[in-house]
Amino acid sequence: QVQLVESGGGLVQAGGSLRLSCVASGSISSINRMGWYRQTPGKQRELVATASGDSANYADSVKGRFTMSSDNAKNTVYLQMNSLKPEDTAVYSCAATVFDGRAWNDYWGQGTQVTVSS
């Protein structure tokens, strides 16, 4: 089994920063891409950032404020969030496309809550 576990969420004041982590573990042969998504009640899940190889893409709403990075040796991806705004409040989940030696599958973490107070 492959598992993704996010951490680093919490309560922060507007203008503050948080660093989210997502660790992938289990039967991992390779990871093609990883991404961060967020969702608030009553709204559809929104793509925040994705990374594949050395490239990364960000939603317009977070460009210049959020940065995605990774530590491949630890199968860990990070999302550095700076200049946080109340509208960034959401459950943030990571996702990864993983090859387990037999097939490619998409996996999702359980999510971590980020709350930004005004």
Side-chain angles (χ1 to χ4, degrees):
Q1 296 290 326
V2 175
Q3 292 186 331
L4 304 179
V5 180
E6 304 97 333
S7 62
L11 175 64
V12 65
Q13 292 182 322
S17 299
L18 286 173
R19 189 194 193 200
L20 306 183
S21 299
C22 174
V23 181
S25 62
S27 301
I28 300 173
S29 179
S30 63
I31 299 176
N32 180 257
R33 78 193 80 194
M34 298 191 74
W36 286 96
Y37 299 78
R38 65 187 182 186
Q39 187 169 24
T40 57
K43 296 183 179 180
Q44 295 183 342
R45 184 156 48 197
E46 175 188 18
L47 173 66
V48 177
T50 60
S52 180
D54 295 327
S55 65
N57 294 293
Y58 301 90
D60 289 340
S61 60
V62 306
K63 286 182 178 178
R65 299 188 298 119
F66 291 9
T67 302
M68 190 173 178
S69 62
S70 64
D71 185 339
N72 293 333
K74 297 181 179 180
N75 285 333
T76 301
V77 65
Y78 306 94
L79 185 67
Q80 179 67 46
M81 305 185 294
N82 299 324
S83 301
L84 284 163
K85 305 175 181 179
E87 52 262 44
D88 294 320
T89 296
V91 174
Y92 285 72
S93 300
C94 67
T97 301
V98 179
F99 183 64
D100 63 6
R102 297 184 179 183
W104 290 95
N105 291 291
D106 294 330
Y107 295 90
W108 290 85
Q110 83 288 352
T112 184
Q113 176 70 47
V114 172
T115 302
V116 184
S117 62
S118 60

